[in-house]
Amino acid sequence: MPSDSIAGIAMASTQSTIQIVPTAPGHKRVKSELMRQRLRAASWFLVPMLLALAIVAGWPLLRTIYFSFTNASLTNISGAELIGFKNYLNWTVLKSGRVIWSGLLADPVWWNAVWNTVRFSVLSVTLETILGTVVALVLNADFKGRGIVRAAILIPWAIPTIVSARMWSWMLNDQFGIINDMLMMLGLIDHKIAWTASSDTAMIAVLIVDVWKTTPFMALLILAGLQMIPRDIYEAAAIDGVHPVKTFWKVTLPLVRPALMVAVIFRLLDAMRIFDLIYVLTPNSAQTKTISVLARENLIDFDKFAYGSAQSTMLFLLIALMTILYIWLGKVRFDGGDR
Amino acid sequence: MLWRHTKTAAFYLLVAIIVLVSVFPFYYAILTSFKSGTALFEVNYLPVHFSLDNYISVLTTGVFVRNLGNSILVATSVVVLALFLAITAAFALARVSFRGRGLLLMTILAVSMFPQIAVLAGLFELVRAFGLFNTPFALIFSYTIFTLPFTVWVLTTFMRDLPVEIEEAAIVDGATPWVIISKVFMPLMWPALVTTGLLAFIAAWNEFLFALTFTSSNETRTVPVAIALLSGASQYEIPWGRIMAASVIVTVPLVVLVLIFQRKIVQGLTAGGVKG
């Protein structure tokens, strides 16, 4: 997903305070005229950008939410009629008095997708944070060949997700895959594993590829945080004879925490919306089908446009809610006040 | 002494593992792309086969070259559009103080966090209403949702750090805001524009969900979709050699660009984080 890098980039930028640039102090009398001119120019500069965002983001989001309350179908979008919350939850009372629940919230397929999304997000981000920290610590050390390592870790980041999904599905191929060959050679497994097809290992396969692809990015962000820690703190700790492991827990980690926290949220939000890797690596696997994959399937493939819209809306709400909760609980300040 | 050596050895072992894990999958894709026929089905760790069959097949049969053209067209247009809209907006956001600026920046950031699927239904309707379905314009249009917010963010960060004195001098000389942007700031911002543009290009080049949904024929697809849907005569006959050749073709330019602009990219990715 290209957006993973995008979110991260935006994220990195959030760590800094947008300071107020003092307006150029001109002559007292012309200042107000100058200010007015600048404000006017500013609004003209902002309008096209805001208009573009309103058209490609604001409006479509509102329409998706609207569709989720209608009976729209792919072939008849314009003829959609409002049906209230029926896509979310509906019930019919049979003559016998039995109540049959239907709609999203009563759909086990939906809850399975929610579970998959949450499971994938938590596991992948945890692994990426741990491994990213290790790689960042390595890159923060002074050693020969550091440039090569940094160049090497940029490669997984630069490879398109679709390409990495295909590359890995070849490597994880059950018959001719090199991963099975390696594991057999090392004696770790005694029979070839169908990584992407088997229901036990499909999620593991997705996690392997996602961690491989995204850890470098995490590492670079953590590294940026690490490099802001003044070196003399470490010197002081070394002089006091503090054990390096203790220095890590007591000095490095607390100081890098703000950068780490922001990196983790944005990765988490990004992982929640994963689509392309799963669509290509493990199509049709119930063990890895996430909300985005399920929603697109309903929207486009199954001609349940309104139902898919309801699922998309739920994902949006879930992500919005998580953002608010995380900011609130973690007291992450986007303006950089945490530092 | 021995302990020290062990520690150094362990460190370099870790370094070697990091490099190997990062590079190996791509190396193996290249290795596979040069294999043809039954050679594909034997596992080799070192290059022993060399055949250009897969590359010839990918480039001469089917519409892969057309897909490459589509991807280049879409990604380039998206970058130009996003940079043009973002540079003026960034000036307003970075250099002019007005009420609600912080809120506006937060909103822009929030847009970049939108799950793409949440706008898919609405965009699908728009794309069809505008008659853009199954054309590259559908993608140029929809990719603005993720390229614009982040180009605005990164350029705002960069522009904020330009010295006030330069701008004051220009104002004293009677320069209007547009002249300040185009004549004074632009020349100073080239590195930032190149980095941001490159990152936006990569994002657009790699995008999959919109490309899959808003195009429907082989001729209008972009490369990620083409590679994802590349299949053989039957579903049991996946043409791995050709898939790997196509993958290598679309990835090598990216890897080369990224390695050339390494420093700039790392700076761009962590912009603000470092400058704080």
mmCIF file of all heavy atoms in Angstrom, chain A residues 206-251:
data_model
loop_
_atom_site.group_PDB
_atom_site.id
_atom_site.type_symbol
_atom_site.label_atom_id
_atom_site.label_comp_id
_atom_site.label_asym_id
_atom_site.label_seq_id
_atom_site.Cartn_x
_atom_site.Cartn_y
_atom_site.Cartn_z
ATOM 1 N N VAL A 206 1.379 -13.634 5.650
ATOM 2 C CA VAL A 206 1.088 -12.206 5.488
ATOM 3 C C VAL A 206 1.962 -11.382 6.428
ATOM 4 O O VAL A 206 2.528 -10.354 6.042
ATOM 5 C CB VAL A 206 -0.406 -11.938 5.754
ATOM 6 C CG1 VAL A 206 -0.686 -10.454 5.809
ATOM 7 C CG2 VAL A 206 -1.261 -12.585 4.686
ATOM 8 N N LEU A 207 2.099 -11.850 7.666
ATOM 9 C CA LEU A 207 2.910 -11.118 8.642
ATOM 10 C C LEU A 207 4.372 -11.049 8.208
ATOM 11 O O LEU A 207 5.002 -9.993 8.303
ATOM 12 C CB LEU A 207 2.802 -11.772 10.021
ATOM 13 C CG LEU A 207 1.500 -11.494 10.766
ATOM 14 C CD1 LEU A 207 1.396 -12.376 12.002
ATOM 15 C CD2 LEU A 207 1.410 -10.031 11.168
ATOM 16 N N ILE A 208 4.896 -12.167 7.710
ATOM 17 C CA ILE A 208 6.300 -12.179 7.270
ATOM 18 C C ILE A 208 6.526 -11.097 6.219
ATOM 19 O O ILE A 208 7.445 -10.282 6.323
ATOM 20 C CB ILE A 208 6.690 -13.563 6.679
ATOM 21 C CG1 ILE A 208 6.738 -14.616 7.781
ATOM 22 C CG2 ILE A 208 8.036 -13.496 5.964
ATOM 23 C CD1 ILE A 208 6.963 -16.033 7.264
ATOM 24 N N VAL A 209 5.654 -11.067 5.218
ATOM 25 C CA VAL A 209 5.864 -10.127 4.121
ATOM 26 C C VAL A 209 5.682 -8.686 4.594
ATOM 27 O O VAL A 209 6.464 -7.804 4.254
ATOM 28 C CB VAL A 209 4.922 -10.428 2.939
ATOM 29 C CG1 VAL A 209 5.223 -9.511 1.774
ATOM 30 C CG2 VAL A 209 5.051 -11.874 2.514
ATOM 31 N N ASP A 210 4.654 -8.464 5.418
ATOM 32 C CA ASP A 210 4.424 -7.096 5.882
ATOM 33 C C ASP A 210 5.573 -6.600 6.756
ATOM 34 O O ASP A 210 6.024 -5.470 6.609
ATOM 35 C CB ASP A 210 3.102 -7.006 6.649
ATOM 36 C CG ASP A 210 2.698 -5.559 6.866
ATOM 37 O OD1 ASP A 210 2.290 -4.930 5.868
ATOM 38 O OD2 ASP A 210 2.817 -5.046 7.985
ATOM 39 N N VAL A 211 6.040 -7.463 7.637
ATOM 40 C CA VAL A 211 7.147 -7.067 8.517
ATOM 41 C C VAL A 211 8.392 -6.794 7.683
ATOM 42 O O VAL A 211 9.099 -5.804 7.883
ATOM 43 C CB VAL A 211 7.406 -8.158 9.581
ATOM 44 C CG1 VAL A 211 8.723 -7.918 10.297
ATOM 45 C CG2 VAL A 211 6.266 -8.190 10.583
ATOM 46 N N TRP A 212 8.643 -7.651 6.707
ATOM 47 C CA TRP A 212 9.821 -7.459 5.844
ATOM 48 C C TRP A 212 9.758 -6.104 5.147
ATOM 49 O O TRP A 212 10.736 -5.378 5.065
ATOM 50 C CB TRP A 212 9.888 -8.580 4.805
ATOM 51 C CG TRP A 212 11.004 -8.412 3.822
ATOM 52 C CD1 TRP A 212 12.325 -8.675 4.040
ATOM 53 C CD2 TRP A 212 10.909 -7.923 2.472
ATOM 54 N NE1 TRP A 212 13.052 -8.387 2.911
ATOM 55 C CE2 TRP A 212 12.206 -7.922 1.945
ATOM 56 C CE3 TRP A 212 9.849 -7.483 1.686
ATOM 57 C CZ2 TRP A 212 12.491 -7.507 0.644
ATOM 58 C CZ3 TRP A 212 10.122 -7.066 0.392
ATOM 59 C CH2 TRP A 212 11.421 -7.079 -0.118
ATOM 60 N N LYS A 213 8.576 -5.765 4.665
ATOM 61 C CA LYS A 213 8.425 -4.557 3.856
ATOM 62 C C LYS A 213 8.418 -3.291 4.696
ATOM 63 O O LYS A 213 8.893 -2.256 4.262
ATOM 64 C CB LYS A 213 7.119 -4.674 3.063
ATOM 65 C CG LYS A 213 6.646 -3.428 2.404
ATOM 66 C CD LYS A 213 6.523 -3.593 0.906
ATOM 67 C CE LYS A 213 6.037 -2.313 0.267
ATOM 68 N NZ LYS A 213 7.071 -1.292 0.180
ATOM 69 N N THR A 214 7.886 -3.347 5.907
ATOM 70 C CA THR A 214 7.623 -2.112 6.644
ATOM 71 C C THR A 214 8.621 -1.810 7.751
ATOM 72 O O THR A 214 8.751 -0.668 8.165
ATOM 73 C CB THR A 214 6.199 -2.144 7.223
ATOM 74 O OG1 THR A 214 5.356 -2.793 6.281
ATOM 75 C CG2 THR A 214 5.669 -0.763 7.433
ATOM 76 N N THR A 215 9.333 -2.851 8.222
ATOM 77 C CA THR A 215 10.313 -2.609 9.278
ATOM 78 C C THR A 215 11.331 -1.515 8.916
ATOM 79 O O THR A 215 11.638 -0.673 9.751
ATOM 80 C CB THR A 215 11.019 -3.924 9.657
ATOM 81 O OG1 THR A 215 10.037 -4.829 10.120
ATOM 82 C CG2 THR A 215 12.045 -3.703 10.737
ATOM 83 N N PRO A 216 11.855 -1.492 7.674
ATOM 84 C CA PRO A 216 12.840 -0.463 7.338
ATOM 85 C C PRO A 216 12.330 0.945 7.593
ATOM 86 O O PRO A 216 13.047 1.797 8.126
ATOM 87 C CB PRO A 216 13.062 -0.653 5.839
ATOM 88 C CG PRO A 216 12.694 -2.045 5.562
ATOM 89 C CD PRO A 216 11.639 -2.418 6.547
ATOM 90 N N PHE A 217 11.076 1.153 7.252
ATOM 91 C CA PHE A 217 10.499 2.474 7.413
ATOM 92 C C PHE A 217 10.422 2.852 8.888
ATOM 93 O O PHE A 217 10.784 3.949 9.303
ATOM 94 C CB PHE A 217 9.109 2.455 6.785
ATOM 95 C CG PHE A 217 8.480 3.782 6.781
ATOM 96 C CD1 PHE A 217 8.992 4.790 6.002
ATOM 97 C CD2 PHE A 217 7.391 4.037 7.577
ATOM 98 C CE1 PHE A 217 8.418 6.035 6.005
ATOM 99 C CE2 PHE A 217 6.815 5.279 7.590
ATOM 100 C CZ PHE A 217 7.332 6.285 6.806
ATOM 101 N N MET A 218 9.943 1.887 9.673
ATOM 102 C CA MET A 218 9.869 2.073 11.122
ATOM 103 C C MET A 218 11.265 2.392 11.663
ATOM 104 O O MET A 218 11.439 3.291 12.467
ATOM 105 C CB MET A 218 9.354 0.750 11.700
ATOM 106 C CG MET A 218 8.680 0.826 13.000
ATOM 107 S SD MET A 218 7.131 1.699 12.924
ATOM 108 C CE MET A 218 6.502 1.239 14.517
ATOM 109 N N ALA A 219 12.262 1.622 11.176
ATOM 110 C CA ALA A 219 13.628 1.804 11.655
ATOM 111 C C ALA A 219 14.122 3.223 11.358
ATOM 112 O O ALA A 219 14.736 3.861 12.212
ATOM 113 C CB ALA A 219 14.547 0.774 11.001
ATOM 114 N N LEU A 220 13.827 3.731 10.169
ATOM 115 C CA LEU A 220 14.298 5.069 9.808
ATOM 116 C C LEU A 220 13.669 6.131 10.702
ATOM 117 O O LEU A 220 14.332 7.084 11.113
ATOM 118 C CB LEU A 220 13.964 5.372 8.348
ATOM 119 C CG LEU A 220 14.800 4.618 7.315
ATOM 120 C CD1 LEU A 220 14.327 4.953 5.922
ATOM 121 C CD2 LEU A 220 16.270 4.932 7.483
ATOM 122 N N LEU A 221 12.383 5.950 11.026
ATOM 123 C CA LEU A 221 11.723 6.933 11.890
ATOM 124 C C LEU A 221 12.274 6.885 13.307
ATOM 125 O O LEU A 221 12.504 7.920 13.924
ATOM 126 C CB LEU A 221 10.218 6.692 11.903
ATOM 127 C CG LEU A 221 9.536 7.020 10.593
ATOM 128 C CD1 LEU A 221 8.092 6.589 10.619
ATOM 129 C CD2 LEU A 221 9.628 8.508 10.306
ATOM 130 N N ILE A 222 12.494 5.653 13.788
ATOM 131 C CA ILE A 222 13.048 5.535 15.142
ATOM 132 C C ILE A 222 14.467 6.087 15.161
ATOM 133 O O ILE A 222 14.870 6.774 16.096
ATOM 134 C CB ILE A 222 12.991 4.071 15.618
ATOM 135 C CG1 ILE A 222 11.533 3.601 15.686
ATOM 136 C CG2 ILE A 222 13.653 3.918 16.978
ATOM 137 C CD1 ILE A 222 11.357 2.121 15.894
ATOM 138 N N LEU A 223 15.201 5.819 14.073
ATOM 139 C CA LEU A 223 16.572 6.330 13.976
ATOM 140 C C LEU A 223 16.588 7.853 14.056
ATOM 141 O O LEU A 223 17.431 8.438 14.745
ATOM 142 C CB LEU A 223 17.204 5.859 12.658
ATOM 143 C CG LEU A 223 18.634 6.319 12.393
ATOM 144 C CD1 LEU A 223 19.580 5.732 13.432
ATOM 145 C CD2 LEU A 223 19.092 5.929 11.002
ATOM 146 N N ALA A 224 15.632 8.495 13.381
ATOM 147 C CA ALA A 224 15.561 9.953 13.426
ATOM 148 C C ALA A 224 15.368 10.420 14.867
ATOM 149 O O ALA A 224 15.958 11.410 15.296
ATOM 150 C CB ALA A 224 14.427 10.454 12.550
ATOM 151 N N GLY A 225 14.540 9.677 15.617
ATOM 152 C CA GLY A 225 14.340 10.006 17.027
ATOM 153 C C GLY A 225 15.611 9.795 17.835
ATOM 154 O O GLY A 225 15.987 10.619 18.666
ATOM 155 N N LEU A 226 16.299 8.678 17.551
ATOM 156 C CA LEU A 226 17.523 8.354 18.284
ATOM 157 C C LEU A 226 18.600 9.412 18.074
ATOM 158 O O LEU A 226 19.341 9.768 18.988
ATOM 159 C CB LEU A 226 18.083 7.006 17.818
ATOM 160 C CG LEU A 226 17.397 5.740 18.323
ATOM 161 C CD1 LEU A 226 18.042 4.522 17.693
ATOM 162 C CD2 LEU A 226 17.505 5.662 19.839
ATOM 163 N N GLN A 227 18.664 9.908 16.829
ATOM 164 C CA GLN A 227 19.741 10.846 16.520
ATOM 165 C C GLN A 227 19.545 12.201 17.182
ATOM 166 O O GLN A 227 20.451 13.019 17.206
ATOM 167 C CB GLN A 227 19.870 10.997 15.009
ATOM 168 C CG GLN A 227 20.563 9.768 14.423
ATOM 169 C CD GLN A 227 20.572 9.758 12.911
ATOM 170 O OE1 GLN A 227 19.772 10.430 12.268
ATOM 171 N NE2 GLN A 227 21.472 8.975 12.334
ATOM 172 N N MET A 228 18.344 12.414 17.714
ATOM 173 C CA MET A 228 18.122 13.685 18.393
ATOM 174 C C MET A 228 18.579 13.650 19.841
ATOM 175 O O MET A 228 18.649 14.685 20.496
ATOM 176 C CB MET A 228 16.638 14.032 18.341
ATOM 177 C CG MET A 228 16.231 14.507 16.979
ATOM 178 S SD MET A 228 14.507 14.899 16.919
ATOM 179 C CE MET A 228 14.297 15.683 18.487
ATOM 180 N N ILE A 229 18.877 12.438 20.331
ATOM 181 C CA ILE A 229 19.322 12.337 21.722
ATOM 182 C C ILE A 229 20.781 12.792 21.777
ATOM 183 O O ILE A 229 21.616 12.279 21.059
ATOM 184 C CB ILE A 229 19.212 10.882 22.228
ATOM 185 C CG1 ILE A 229 17.762 10.414 22.123
ATOM 186 C CG2 ILE A 229 19.713 10.785 23.657
ATOM 187 C CD1 ILE A 229 17.580 8.955 22.454
ATOM 188 N N PRO A 230 21.071 13.791 22.629
ATOM 189 C CA PRO A 230 22.450 14.290 22.687
ATOM 190 C C PRO A 230 23.399 13.193 23.139
ATOM 191 O O PRO A 230 23.092 12.433 24.061
ATOM 192 C CB PRO A 230 22.390 15.407 23.726
ATOM 193 C CG PRO A 230 20.976 15.575 24.115
ATOM 194 C CD PRO A 230 20.171 14.454 23.562
ATOM 195 N N ARG A 231 24.563 13.126 22.464
ATOM 196 C CA ARG A 231 25.538 12.072 22.767
ATOM 197 C C ARG A 231 26.078 12.172 24.195
ATOM 198 O O ARG A 231 26.444 11.170 24.788
ATOM 199 C CB ARG A 231 26.719 12.135 21.785
ATOM 200 C CG ARG A 231 26.327 11.842 20.354
ATOM 201 C CD ARG A 231 26.559 10.380 20.013
ATOM 202 N NE ARG A 231 25.778 10.052 18.811
ATOM 203 C CZ ARG A 231 25.763 8.862 18.235
ATOM 204 N NH1 ARG A 231 26.449 7.873 18.739
ATOM 205 N NH2 ARG A 231 25.028 8.640 17.171
ATOM 206 N N ASP A 232 26.143 13.393 24.736
ATOM 207 C CA ASP A 232 26.795 13.529 26.049
ATOM 208 C C ASP A 232 26.015 12.824 27.156
ATOM 209 O O ASP A 232 26.583 12.482 28.183
ATOM 210 C CB ASP A 232 27.094 14.998 26.403
ATOM 211 C CG ASP A 232 25.947 15.925 26.017
ATOM 212 O OD1 ASP A 232 24.981 15.414 25.431
ATOM 213 O OD2 ASP A 232 26.015 17.121 26.301
ATOM 214 N N ILE A 233 24.710 12.582 26.915
ATOM 215 C CA ILE A 233 23.955 11.828 27.917
ATOM 216 C C ILE A 233 24.540 10.421 28.061
ATOM 217 O O ILE A 233 24.730 9.917 29.160
ATOM 218 C CB ILE A 233 22.464 11.738 27.520
ATOM 219 C CG1 ILE A 233 21.842 13.128 27.551
ATOM 220 C CG2 ILE A 233 21.715 10.796 28.459
ATOM 221 C CD1 ILE A 233 20.367 13.132 27.270
ATOM 222 N N TYR A 234 24.869 9.830 26.893
ATOM 223 C CA TYR A 234 25.446 8.481 26.923
ATOM 224 C C TYR A 234 26.823 8.499 27.566
ATOM 225 O O TYR A 234 27.193 7.601 28.308
ATOM 226 C CB TYR A 234 25.553 7.919 25.509
ATOM 227 C CG TYR A 234 24.210 7.635 24.897
ATOM 228 C CD1 TYR A 234 23.709 8.432 23.889
ATOM 229 C CD2 TYR A 234 23.441 6.578 25.359
ATOM 230 C CE1 TYR A 234 22.471 8.188 23.337
ATOM 231 C CE2 TYR A 234 22.198 6.322 24.822
ATOM 232 C CZ TYR A 234 21.712 7.129 23.799
ATOM 233 O OH TYR A 234 20.493 6.882 23.268
ATOM 234 N N GLU A 235 27.596 9.568 27.255
ATOM 235 C CA GLU A 235 28.931 9.681 27.849
ATOM 236 C C GLU A 235 28.821 9.745 29.356
ATOM 237 O O GLU A 235 29.539 9.058 30.080
ATOM 238 C CB GLU A 235 29.652 10.923 27.307
ATOM 239 C CG GLU A 235 30.239 10.698 25.921
ATOM 240 C CD GLU A 235 30.557 12.005 25.194
ATOM 241 O OE1 GLU A 235 30.784 13.027 25.888
ATOM 242 O OE2 GLU A 235 30.562 11.990 23.950
ATOM 243 N N ALA A 236 27.863 10.558 29.816
ATOM 244 C CA ALA A 236 27.671 10.695 31.258
ATOM 245 C C ALA A 236 27.302 9.356 31.878
ATOM 246 O O ALA A 236 27.840 8.964 32.916
ATOM 247 C CB ALA A 236 26.583 11.725 31.543
ATOM 248 N N ALA A 237 26.388 8.637 31.192
ATOM 249 C CA ALA A 237 25.955 7.339 31.704
ATOM 250 C C ALA A 237 27.136 6.371 31.743
ATOM 251 O O ALA A 237 27.303 5.607 32.697
ATOM 252 C CB ALA A 237 24.840 6.781 30.833
ATOM 253 N N ALA A 238 27.985 6.426 30.705
ATOM 254 C CA ALA A 238 29.134 5.518 30.645
ATOM 255 C C ALA A 238 30.114 5.830 31.761
ATOM 256 O O ALA A 238 30.666 4.932 32.399
ATOM 257 C CB ALA A 238 29.813 5.624 29.277
ATOM 258 N N ILE A 239 30.323 7.130 32.009
ATOM 259 C CA ILE A 239 31.257 7.524 33.070
ATOM 260 C C ILE A 239 30.751 7.054 34.426
ATOM 261 O O ILE A 239 31.497 6.563 35.257
ATOM 262 C CB ILE A 239 31.471 9.057 33.058
ATOM 263 C CG1 ILE A 239 32.276 9.434 31.812
ATOM 264 C CG2 ILE A 239 32.181 9.524 34.313
ATOM 265 C CD1 ILE A 239 32.304 10.907 31.517
ATOM 266 N N ASP A 240 29.436 7.155 34.620
ATOM 267 C CA ASP A 240 28.855 6.698 35.881
ATOM 268 C C ASP A 240 28.813 5.180 35.985
ATOM 269 O O ASP A 240 28.322 4.647 36.969
ATOM 270 C CB ASP A 240 27.421 7.247 36.031
ATOM 271 C CG ASP A 240 27.433 8.746 36.280
ATOM 272 O OD1 ASP A 240 28.522 9.268 36.560
ATOM 273 O OD2 ASP A 240 26.365 9.381 36.173
ATOM 274 N N GLY A 241 29.277 4.499 34.924
ATOM 275 C CA GLY A 241 29.326 3.046 34.966
ATOM 276 C C GLY A 241 27.967 2.371 34.857
ATOM 277 O O GLY A 241 27.758 1.268 35.344
ATOM 278 N N VAL A 242 27.018 3.037 34.196
ATOM 279 C CA VAL A 242 25.698 2.416 34.018
ATOM 280 C C VAL A 242 25.799 1.360 32.933
ATOM 281 O O VAL A 242 26.399 1.585 31.880
ATOM 282 C CB VAL A 242 24.645 3.480 33.625
ATOM 283 C CG1 VAL A 242 23.267 2.847 33.496
ATOM 284 C CG2 VAL A 242 24.643 4.616 34.635
ATOM 285 N N HIS A 243 25.211 0.208 33.192
ATOM 286 C CA HIS A 243 25.249 -0.868 32.196
ATOM 287 C C HIS A 243 24.481 -0.452 30.937
ATOM 288 O O HIS A 243 23.417 0.166 31.049
ATOM 289 C CB HIS A 243 24.630 -2.133 32.807
ATOM 290 C CG HIS A 243 24.878 -3.348 31.990
ATOM 291 N ND1 HIS A 243 24.032 -3.732 30.977
ATOM 292 C CD2 HIS A 243 25.908 -4.242 32.012
ATOM 293 C CE1 HIS A 243 24.520 -4.832 30.409
ATOM 294 N NE2 HIS A 243 25.658 -5.154 31.028
ATOM 295 N N PRO A 244 25.037 -0.766 29.753
ATOM 296 C CA PRO A 244 24.387 -0.339 28.501
ATOM 297 C C PRO A 244 22.921 -0.744 28.407
ATOM 298 O O PRO A 244 22.094 0.017 27.893
ATOM 299 C CB PRO A 244 25.196 -1.049 27.417
ATOM 300 C CG PRO A 244 26.528 -1.297 28.031
ATOM 301 C CD PRO A 244 26.314 -1.438 29.504
ATOM 302 N N VAL A 245 22.584 -1.936 28.908
ATOM 303 C CA VAL A 245 21.192 -2.378 28.841
ATOM 304 C C VAL A 245 20.311 -1.450 29.684
ATOM 305 O O VAL A 245 19.228 -1.041 29.278
ATOM 306 C CB VAL A 245 21.067 -3.845 29.326
ATOM 307 C CG1 VAL A 245 19.601 -4.257 29.372
ATOM 308 C CG2 VAL A 245 21.856 -4.758 28.417
ATOM 309 N N LYS A 246 20.831 -1.091 30.843
ATOM 310 C CA LYS A 246 20.088 -0.190 31.717
ATOM 311 C C LYS A 246 19.987 1.189 31.062
ATOM 312 O O LYS A 246 18.942 1.837 31.140
ATOM 313 C CB LYS A 246 20.806 -0.080 33.071
ATOM 314 C CG LYS A 246 19.890 0.478 34.138
ATOM 315 C CD LYS A 246 20.551 0.463 35.508
ATOM 316 C CE LYS A 246 19.661 1.163 36.515
ATOM 317 N NZ LYS A 246 20.353 1.381 37.794
ATOM 318 N N THR A 247 21.081 1.614 30.407
ATOM 319 C CA THR A 247 21.048 2.904 29.709
ATOM 320 C C THR A 247 19.930 2.898 28.677
ATOM 321 O O THR A 247 19.205 3.878 28.530
ATOM 322 C CB THR A 247 22.389 3.169 29.002
ATOM 323 O OG1 THR A 247 23.443 2.886 29.906
ATOM 324 C CG2 THR A 247 22.476 4.603 28.518
ATOM 325 N N PHE A 248 19.796 1.751 27.980
ATOM 326 C CA PHE A 248 18.757 1.671 26.954
ATOM 327 C C PHE A 248 17.377 1.876 27.567
ATOM 328 O O PHE A 248 16.590 2.678 27.102
ATOM 329 C CB PHE A 248 18.826 0.319 26.227
ATOM 330 C CG PHE A 248 17.677 0.124 25.270
ATOM 331 C CD1 PHE A 248 17.666 0.749 24.040
ATOM 332 C CD2 PHE A 248 16.588 -0.672 25.616
ATOM 333 C CE1 PHE A 248 16.604 0.589 23.167
ATOM 334 C CE2 PHE A 248 15.516 -0.845 24.747
ATOM 335 C CZ PHE A 248 15.533 -0.212 23.519
ATOM 336 N N TRP A 249 17.103 1.140 28.656
ATOM 337 C CA TRP A 249 15.761 1.210 29.257
ATOM 338 C C TRP A 249 15.506 2.540 29.948
ATOM 339 O O TRP A 249 14.396 3.044 29.941
ATOM 340 C CB TRP A 249 15.545 0.071 30.242
ATOM 341 C CG TRP A 249 15.400 -1.254 29.556
ATOM 342 C CD1 TRP A 249 16.315 -2.268 29.543
ATOM 343 C CD2 TRP A 249 14.294 -1.712 28.773
ATOM 344 N NE1 TRP A 249 15.847 -3.312 28.790
ATOM 345 C CE2 TRP A 249 14.618 -3.009 28.310
ATOM 346 C CE3 TRP A 249 13.067 -1.150 28.420
ATOM 347 C CZ2 TRP A 249 13.752 -3.760 27.510
ATOM 348 C CZ3 TRP A 249 12.207 -1.892 27.623
ATOM 349 C CH2 TRP A 249 12.544 -3.179 27.168
ATOM 350 N N LYS A 250 16.549 3.081 30.573
ATOM 351 C CA LYS A 250 16.332 4.270 31.402
ATOM 352 C C LYS A 250 16.589 5.588 30.662
ATOM 353 O O LYS A 250 16.092 6.624 31.057
ATOM 354 C CB LYS A 250 17.255 4.216 32.644
ATOM 355 C CG LYS A 250 16.988 3.056 33.557
ATOM 356 C CD LYS A 250 15.776 3.310 34.434
ATOM 357 C CE LYS A 250 15.447 2.066 35.232
ATOM 358 N NZ LYS A 250 14.177 2.142 35.916
ATOM 359 N N VAL A 251 17.430 5.540 29.624
ATOM 360 C CA VAL A 251 17.758 6.795 28.946
ATOM 361 C C VAL A 251 17.186 6.818 27.524
ATOM 362 O O VAL A 251 16.372 7.663 27.186
ATOM 363 C CB VAL A 251 19.297 7.022 28.891
ATOM 364 C CG1 VAL A 251 19.609 8.302 28.133
ATOM 365 C CG2 VAL A 251 19.864 7.048 30.291
#
